[in-house]
Amino acid sequence: MGFFGGFLYDGQSWTETDRSAARALTGPWLHVDIHDSDFAALTYRPAGPGTGIAFVGYTPGVYFGMPDAGPPTDAPREAAGLAAWWAGLHPSAPDADRDTMAGTLLPYLATDEPQDADDSPFVEDKVDDFLTALGLPPFRG
């Protein structure tokens, strides 16, 4: 059995919790929800041009083999949304940096197309790499 857990970044630090704890936050936040070490849902606010949810590893539809297990994903849109979220944490960053960040984040995001296995069997490692690219500390101490 893989790892399950939820972690909330409030703009300064991580707390192990479920996503409902984010409702009380007024500033930008990012919640990482790991499912069985196979996929992670990244929920973020504000969403900017994204929907506010992206996936690392697999999307629920690919993971469960049921296309309707979750909403369709648009990885480029979510990369732009996450880059806008990042820009909110770095208000002095030029627009070009936000665009560069979107391109940096895109390869980490899952799509609705089945993917080949990669080097790491644990989505936690992929999320750590994603967070490093985003300039955030790892969610695990």
Side-chain angles (χ1 to χ4, degrees), residues 82-134:
L82 284 157
W85 180 88
W86 170 86
L89 296 179
H90 302 88
S92 62
D95 289 346
D97 287 358
R98 184 187 62 228
D99 295 341
T100 299
M101 180 59 72
T104 299
L105 298 177
L106 182 59
Y108 294 99
L109 302 182
T111 69
D112 291 320
E113 299 299 318
Q115 306 107 15
D116 292 329
D118 62 12
D119 295 340
S120 175
F122 302 108
V123 78
E124 300 92 306
D125 297 334
K126 296 174 193 173
V127 170
D128 281 344
D129 293 344
F130 169 84
L131 295 174
T132 297
L134 199 55

Side-chain angles (χ1 to χ4, degrees), residues 21-48:
R23 287 186 261 240
L25 298 178
T26 57
W29 56 266
L30 172 70
H31 187 266
V32 175
D33 187 12
I34 306 288
H35 180 85
D36 202 17
S37 291
D38 289 317
F39 75 87
L42 309 173
T43 309
Y44 59 98
R45 297 291 184 272

Side-chain angles (χ1 to χ4, degrees), residues 35-86:
H35 180 85
D36 202 17
S37 291
D38 289 317
F39 75 87
L42 309 173
T43 309
Y44 59 98
R45 297 291 184 272
T51 65
I53 189 162
F55 298 94
V56 174
Y58 298 97
T59 64
V62 170
Y63 180 74
F64 292 112
M66 299 169 25
D68 60 345
T73 60
D74 183 340
R77 179 179 177 191
E78 298 314 324
L82 284 157
W85 180 88
W86 170 86

Side-chain angles (χ1 to χ4, degrees), residues 8-13 15 17-31 45-46:
L8 177 65
Y9 183 75
D10 63 6
Q12 299 193 8
S13 62
T15 306
T17 186
D18 64 27
R19 191 173 56 202
S20 66
R23 287 186 261 240
L25 298 178
T26 57
W29 56 266
L30 172 70
H31 187 266
R45 297 291 184 272

